[in-house]
Amino acid sequence: MTPRIAVTGLGLLTPAGMGVEATWEGVLDGKSTAATSDQLAALPVDFCCSLPHFDAADVLGRRTAHRLDRSSQLAVIAAKEALLDAGLDPATWDGARVGVVIGCGVGASHTWETQGRRLHDFGPRRVSPLLLPMIGPSTPAGEVALACGARGPSLATGTACASGATAIVIARDLLTSRQCDVVIAGGTEACNTPLIVTGLAQLGALSARCDDPASASRPFDQARDGFVLGEAAAILIFERAEDTIARRHRPRALLAGCGSTTDAYHPTTPHPEGRGIKQAMLTALTDAGLSGSDIGYVNAHGTSTRLNDSVEAHTLQAVLPHNPLVTSTKGVLGHSLGATGAVEAALTVLSIQHSLIPPTANLENPDLGIDLNLVTKAAVEQRVAAALSNSFGFGGHNVVLAFHTP
């Protein structure tokens, strides 16, 4: 029999706050975190959603912080919070039975851009000898494994904006196949940098509301004009439910099912009929042994872009005609690319645990033709037995995760 998979710990660093409690309070408050950034001054888009100030050296030590890109710093800090939340001590476990899977969509852009400028302005002698160890796509996973003494599989997933959700799918597979007893999984992204912001702006993906950043991210709203870039890290601890019972630790929620598909349609645009999205949702429901009517809440991908929101909304209407509650937390947090699937999975778990659905920030006038039961203005109290978390990315990557109560 396939074992049930439990979420036993969470770690979150987001623009809404440093830590799970601060992030959850900020998301429930429903106020955008977008603001003008000095680092982006004079660019066509000069705002983003950034983490509240923190000094990585204070948390990780000066030497460790110095050799890590910001994306890896965030992943390690979030992993430590998640392990503490799970009641797990790396000093007492069999590290060979612990795996790590971390998704990242862009990677170490802070390091790439900083070191590139050094090479251009000062020559090769000013480039850090740590450059290559800092920028590898596997670095966040490797650094989390190093920090936690995890000696099982250490993997990096790269499925664009679905990367963090894909990491969770792989974590489930490592546990059901019994290759691991614990998996530390999630996503990290820290690319609020001039080159990445410029590239996204040139692509036409970003909101251009430089005069009012706080109102820029408005998923499903008639006036949406693009997403707001954010940064974040989210780590979830997964174990087999039978093992959590044995150690008397109550899970926050259960990962019931997963669905992954690829549109194979366009490099950046979703299939206009949402075929891949629909199949991912149906696969997740089947995998979980659920019907559409069992779903009480959907944490939508909801990027605040014209086409993506429309396609997702119509697919939700088709697959879930009973009209469950829907929200997009990107209105508050922005879009953290490779981290967002893990961030929203963690928030979905918190909604199930606390029977609270956060509002979608800036959603004033739902787009015509979008007939969803959207949560706006304030959080809604409602018991949720089962929920979906949707993540879709460039390249046509679609991942849907189904969670339910323990």
Side-chain angles (χ1 to χ4, degrees), residues 248-297:
R248 297 181 179 179
H249 181 87
R250 179 171 175 76
R252 287 180 178 265
L254 297 179
L255 174 60
C258 307
S260 298
T261 65
T262 307
D263 285 351
Y265 171 76
H266 188 272
T268 59
T269 301
H271 191 284
E273 297 175 7
R275 292 178 184 174
I277 296 172
K278 180 178 181 180
Q279 188 57 54
M281 293 179 67
L282 293 173
T283 300
L285 290 169
T286 299
D287 188 38
L290 299 171
S291 67
S293 60
D294 293 321
I295 301 301
Y297 166 57

Side-chain angles (χ1 to χ4, degrees), residues 12 23 29 42 47 100 165 169 182 188 215 223 226-227 256 263-264 279 295 378:
L12 282 167
T23 291
D29 193 39
F47 62 94
V100 177
V169 177
V182 176
T188 187
S215 71
F227 70 79
D263 285 351
Q279 188 57 54
I295 301 301

Side-chain angles (χ1 to χ4, degrees), residues 294-316:
D294 293 321
I295 301 301
Y297 166 57
V298 179
N299 189 310
H301 188 57
T303 57
S304 184
T305 54
R306 300 299 305 179
L307 184 58
N308 283 267
D309 285 8
S310 178
V311 171
E312 182 178 15
H314 287 98
T315 306
L316 286 171

Side-chain angles (χ1 to χ4, degrees), residues 126-184:
R126 291 292 298 276
V127 174
S128 172
L130 299 175
L131 173 62
L132 267 297
M134 293 171 77
I135 63 175
S138 63
T139 297
E143 289 295 341
V144 168
L146 176 64
C148 301
R151 303 193 309 278
S154 176
L155 308 172
T157 56
T159 52
C161 303
S163 298
T166 299
I168 291 171
V169 177
I170 301 300
R172 190 276 301 267
D173 293 345
L174 290 172
L175 289 164
T176 56
S177 65
R178 299 192 180 272
Q179 294 182 63
C180 296
D181 296 326
V182 176
V183 181
I184 304 164

